[in-house]
Amino acid sequence: MNQQFLQQYAEFIVRVGVNVQPRQALIIRCPIEGAAFGRACMEAALDAGARDVILRYEDELASRIRMQKADEDTLCRPMPSELRSYLDYAESEEGLCVLSIYAEDPEIYKGLDADKIHRVNVARRTFMQPWQEYTMKDKIQWCVVSIPTAAWAKAVFPQLAAEEAVERLWEEIFKVCRVTEGDPVAAWREHVARSTARKQRLNALDLESIHLTSANGTDLTVGLADGAVWEGASSIAENGAEFIANVPTEEVFTAPHKDRVNGVVKGTKPYAYNGEVIEGFSVTFRDGKVVAHSAEKNDALLGRLLESDAGACHIGEVALVPASSPINRSGLLFYNTLFDENAACHIAFGAGYPINIRGGAGMSRAALDAAGLNDSVIHEDVMVGSADMRITGLTRTGETVLIFENGEWVF
Ligand code: ZN
Ligand code: ZN
């Protein structure tokens, strides 16, 4: 792979993506196959003034063996040391930021007991919630990026040999992450500025709801939470540092009201969940709640997802992504939510982000509930956008405004 691009990608991620501040600690979660990239990020962070970098290697094949062979009680048991290993840094005076290098084989758990995997994941997320709050509320800078692994690359390019597939996936990642445009930092500044202008425009409209329609049968009205704020591209952490939570990111998104979503929505891209793929789904909402669902592939898995807890059958996010996004234009299905969610408009089953409510990061759970922000242990983005999607907004003064036509922003 192109070493210069790799270096530029690592530096851009550390300096602009996670934007590590002088004297901060950085935790990097990295798949073992990506050790070279993890080290490149570590070096870039220390050069940028990080106090320390903690590299945590993760081995998904070992995770599969453990998921298969260890008993469920053990896997569900809370491990305070694991939670503390994040909180000790997060609570320290100099603070913490975190970079997650995500490169999961979309079918890593294929063939294992799906109910067990689901219960283990729910138990884990519940237990790690005090840490999750740091990212869900943007208390610290956080950034999720991807690098190819052989298993993931083979899922994207099944016709290629593993080595060739990894090369191709690197090329695609560099392209859709704007690394090949010569100066990724400048390209991202411009992209962030464009997204910021759009979210400011939407915030100025003071919308009560948006209405999504498409020839495939999607006809969905999404009422927005009280005090809903549109966000996109970059975020600001408690310490004032600007960061990009997801690379790539093409979305401008907000918080639906958990009880004000009505109509039908069709899935437009396959969706990888718990190591399996859900395809061709249709979901019907009444007063915010899913009242019917079906899927051409893995409907039972979709059902389990929606039953994770009381909030899982409501949505916590609606995100607008134009059909011209570089991820969609690549024509590829990445089997990785980080990429696929940026190819199309999407909704997320489960928790909403407090940052999508005005003043939400400082609000109590009861206040967030009252504003209509959904709560759940899950947050699962599913793609519903299409090339013919039309979106209108209804302002609180009763005016209808066109936002998307033929899958594209009208402003
Ligand atoms: Zn999103
Ligand atoms: Zn999301």
Side-chain angles (χ1 to χ4, degrees):
M1 125 257 328
N2 186 317
Q3 283 300 327
Q4 190 197 334
F5 284 162
L6 187 81
Q7 202 61 38
Q8 283 182 328
Y9 186 51
E11 275 179 22
F12 150 71
I13 281 162
V14 164
R15 289 180 185 266
V16 183
V18 74
N19 190 12
V20 63
Q21 300 293 295
R23 301 296 298 156
Q24 254 187 340
L26 170 66
I27 291 179
I28 302 178
R29 299 176 55 196
C30 182
I32 48 169
E33 281 188 67
F37 184 69
R39 286 191 289 266
C41 290
M42 174 187 243
E43 195 166 3
L46 288 166
D47 287 344
R51 174 169 54 103
D52 197 5
V53 178
I54 301 94
L55 247 178
R56 295 209 174 143
Y57 290 115
E58 290 168 2
D59 177 353
E60 63 177 359
L61 289 173
S63 300
R64 183 186 161 91
I65 295 168
R66 188 164 172 263
M67 186 65 86
Q68 184 178 12
K69 308 232 162 172
D71 64 78
E72 188 174 323
D73 282 352
T74 305
L75 293 172
C76 288
R77 189 186 300 163
M79 292 306 274
S81 60
E82 197 188 346
L83 180 60
R84 287 307 322 171
S85 72
Y86 288 95
L87 294 185
D88 283 347
Y89 286 101
E91 291 165 359
S92 73
E93 196 189 321
E94 296 96 338
L96 170 70
C97 51
V98 61
L99 171 62
S100 297
I101 300 168
Y102 174 85
E104 199 177 84
D105 173 356
E107 298 192 305
I108 185 65
Y109 292 141
K110 197 178 175 164
L112 300 190
D113 178 350
D115 287 321
K116 178 182 176 185
I117 296 161
H118 180 70
R119 286 190 296 268
V120 168
N121 282 344
V122 169
R124 233 194 100 70
R125 281 186 205 132
T126 305
F127 170 65
M128 292 299 281
Q129 197 125 31
W131 159 243
Q132 297 305 342
E133 293 237 318
Y134 276 86
T135 52
M136 286 297 274
K137 291 189 168 177
D138 286 354
K139 288 179 169 184
I140 60 169
Q141 313 106 270
W142 57 284
C143 181
V144 185
V145 303
S146 279
I147 57 168
T149 58
W152 177 31
K154 278 291 285 177
V156 183
F157 300 108
Q159 73 284 10
L160 299 182
E163 221 168 287
E164 218 178 319
V166 166
E167 277 301 301
R168 265 303 304 280
L169 191 49
W170 267 122
E171 281 170 26
E172 292 297 335
I173 289 176
F174 289 148
K175 218 183 292 169
V176 301
C177 293
R178 298 178 165 82
V179 176
T180 50
E181 288 176 28
D183 181 353
V185 173
W188 273 85
R189 290 222 166 99
E190 194 189 315
H191 174 53
V192 166
R194 225 170 14 239
S195 296
T196 302
R198 284 179 178 138
K199 74 185 180 194
Q200 284 170 347
R201 176 86 187 262
L202 288 170
N203 284 328
L205 285 172
D206 191 21
L207 297 172
E208 181 183 286
S209 63
I210 59 169
H211 184 204
L212 292 74
T213 50
S214 168
N216 65 12
T218 289
D219 185 348
L220 187 73
T221 301
V222 180
L224 304 189
D226 299 334
V229 177
W230 292 87
E231 288 288 349
S234 69
S235 315
I236 309 287
E238 263 179 14
N239 62 2
E242 187 177 16
F243 65 98
I244 302 171
N246 288 339
V247 175
T249 179
E250 303 294 327
E251 62 175 342
V252 175
F253 61 101
T254 194
H257 191 293
K258 63 181 163 55
D259 301 321
R260 296 182 194 151
V261 179
N262 284 288
V264 179
V265 70
K266 308 282 182 182
T268 50
K269 286 178 189 289
Y271 163 63
Y273 177 66
N274 279 356
E276 292 199 68
V277 176
I278 298 170
E279 273 188 71
F281 69 83
S282 174
V283 173
T284 305
F285 290 88
R286 193 176 305 139
D287 294 333
K289 192 176 174 179
V290 176
V291 291
H293 65 83
S294 63
E296 285 158 21
K297 189 176 169 193
N298 274 325
D299 182 44
L301 183 63
L302 175 61
R304 268 196 303 274
L305 181 160
L306 294 169
E307 283 161 16
S308 301
D309 61 15
C313 58
H314 296 255
I315 61 171
E317 178 191 346
V318 60
L320 310 189
V321 179
S324 61
S325 107
I327 295 94
N328 195 40
R329 270 202 316 245
S330 76
L332 294 171
L333 184 68
F334 286 88
Y335 296 101
N336 174 334
T337 303
L338 183 61
F339 287 78
D340 292 329
E341 74 157 333
N342 283 301
C345 292
H346 55 271
I347 56 173
F349 296 114
Y353 293 103
I355 51 144
N356 281 131
I357 303 283
R358 205 171 301 117
M363 280 162 76
S364 67
R365 187 65 244 175
L368 293 171
D369 287 343
L373 188 74
N374 195 33
D375 193 19
S376 171
V377 293
I378 68 158
H379 176 100
E380 296 294 333
D381 297 286
V382 294
M383 285 59 79
V384 302
S386 57
D388 74 334
M389 180 152 271
R390 180 183 165 87
I391 303 174
T392 57
L394 181 66
T395 69
R396 291 188 197 270
T397 54
E399 199 189 333
T400 300
V401 188
L402 185 63
I403 301 170
F404 257 53
E405 193 152 47
N406 292 322
E408 296 296 325
W409 289 100
V410 298
F411 48 76

